[in-house]
Amino acid sequence: MSTLSIRLSESLDDDLTEESRLAGQPKSLIARTALEQFLDNRRRQRFLARLARAAAAIDSDEAATLVNEALPIDNEALELTEGGAQAKP
């Protein structure tokens, strides 16, 4: 595992210290988790931006076809995420 050294404002360090105390977790774990979530969010934003650009480049008939093909898979994923029905074969 790598080590990263960062400078924090006193206020941010105080907030991190307090969260560490309340959560009973090391500051490094809280910071690592926050950084992972931040990077995951950035990747998702870039993916959605690419998806939006691709969607803008196709005509409406092609878009409707793609939506109709993806909808059952999307609904199944949503059900699984929400703790609904098991995946159907």
Side-chain angles (χ1 to χ4, degrees):
M1 186 175 287
S2 298
T3 300
L4 172 67
S5 178
I6 60 172
R7 295 183 191 272
L8 303 176
S9 67
E10 194 171 321
S11 172
L12 184 55
D13 185 51
D14 290 345
D15 290 346
L16 182 56
T17 300
E18 178 69 4
E19 181 58 29
S20 173
R21 184 185 67 76
L22 292 171
Q25 297 176 328
K27 292 192 313 185
S28 61
L29 175 61
I30 294 168
R32 186 171 43 251
T33 301
L35 186 55
E36 287 169 350
Q37 290 173 352
F38 171 80
L39 293 173
D40 284 346
N41 187 46
R42 293 293 291 260
R43 280 188 286 271
R44 179 174 170 76
Q45 289 174 349
R46 280 192 293 277
F47 170 75
L48 292 174
R50 286 193 313 267
L51 189 60
R53 285 191 301 272
I58 60 176
D59 65 46
S60 60
D61 289 339
E62 185 179 0
T65 300
L66 291 172
V67 166
N68 288 328
E69 290 173 0
L71 190 57
I73 297 167
D74 187 52
N75 287 340
E76 183 177 339
L78 184 58
E79 287 176 6
L80 289 172
T81 303
E82 293 178 341
Q86 295 297 321
K88 298 173 183 134

